[in-house]
């Protein structure tokens, strides 16, 4: 088992490394050439800039039983399709039961944005300390379950 992080602007890299290190699980960070990452623990993959290049690299490297950390529902769906586990930086664990609804909501939101020209939409809400706590709690729970079952 390894952890793969879609690390372009990912706020939970250090939390993931800290927890994975406790479980002695390797971590792989994927970013494009526009980001600079440094780590004493993780292996870093720098992928050429391009639409979805990092996402594709993450999916090409992960395998059944691995964990993918991503905020991209499409990447999560592909990881689940390979038999990997996926977790959002908010701590939500993606499952075969919730991914279809999440993808549909994403699609409907995109349609709504495209239909309203010149309308300004707010970006995501500011990350809080509670978000970090939720992520760490969910990651620990997932790793604990997977190491107990030997997945």
């Amino acid at each position: 088992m390894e952890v793969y992080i879609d690390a372009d602007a990912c706020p939970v890299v250090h939390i993931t490394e800290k927890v994975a290190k406790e479980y002695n699980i390797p971590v792989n960070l994927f970013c494009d050439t526009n980001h600079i990452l440094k780590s004493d623990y993780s292996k870093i993959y720098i992928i050429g800039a391009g639409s979805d290049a990092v996402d594709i690299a993450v999916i090409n490297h992960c395998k059944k039983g691995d964990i993918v950390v991503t905020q991209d529902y499409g990447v999560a769906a592909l990881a689940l399709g390979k038999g990997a586990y996926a977790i959002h930086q908010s701590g939500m664990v993606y499952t075969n039961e919730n991914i279809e609804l999440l993808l549909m909501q994403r699609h409907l939101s995109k349609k709504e944005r495209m239909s309203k020209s010149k309308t300004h939409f707010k970006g995501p809400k500011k990350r809080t300390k509670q978000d970090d706590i939720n992520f760490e709690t969910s990651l620990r729970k997932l790793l604990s379950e997977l190491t107990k079952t030997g997945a």
Side-chain angles (χ1 to χ4, degrees), residues 83-104:
Y85 300 89
I87 185 170
H88 188 276
Q89 63 193 26
S90 69
M92 174 184 61
V93 176
Y94 300 101
T95 66
N96 290 322
E97 289 73 32
N98 70 13
I99 196 66
E100 208 169 300
L101 178 62
L102 293 168
L103 288 168
M104 180 57 75

Side-chain angles (χ1 to χ4, degrees), residues 55-86:
D55 299 344
I56 293 165
V58 168
I59 294 305
N60 284 339
H61 280 82
C62 80
K63 57 197 173 305
K64 184 177 183 176
D66 287 337
I67 297 172
V68 174
V69 178
T70 183
Q71 65 180 348
D72 186 311
Y73 297 165
V75 172
L78 292 169
L80 292 172
K82 289 185 82 172
Y85 300 89

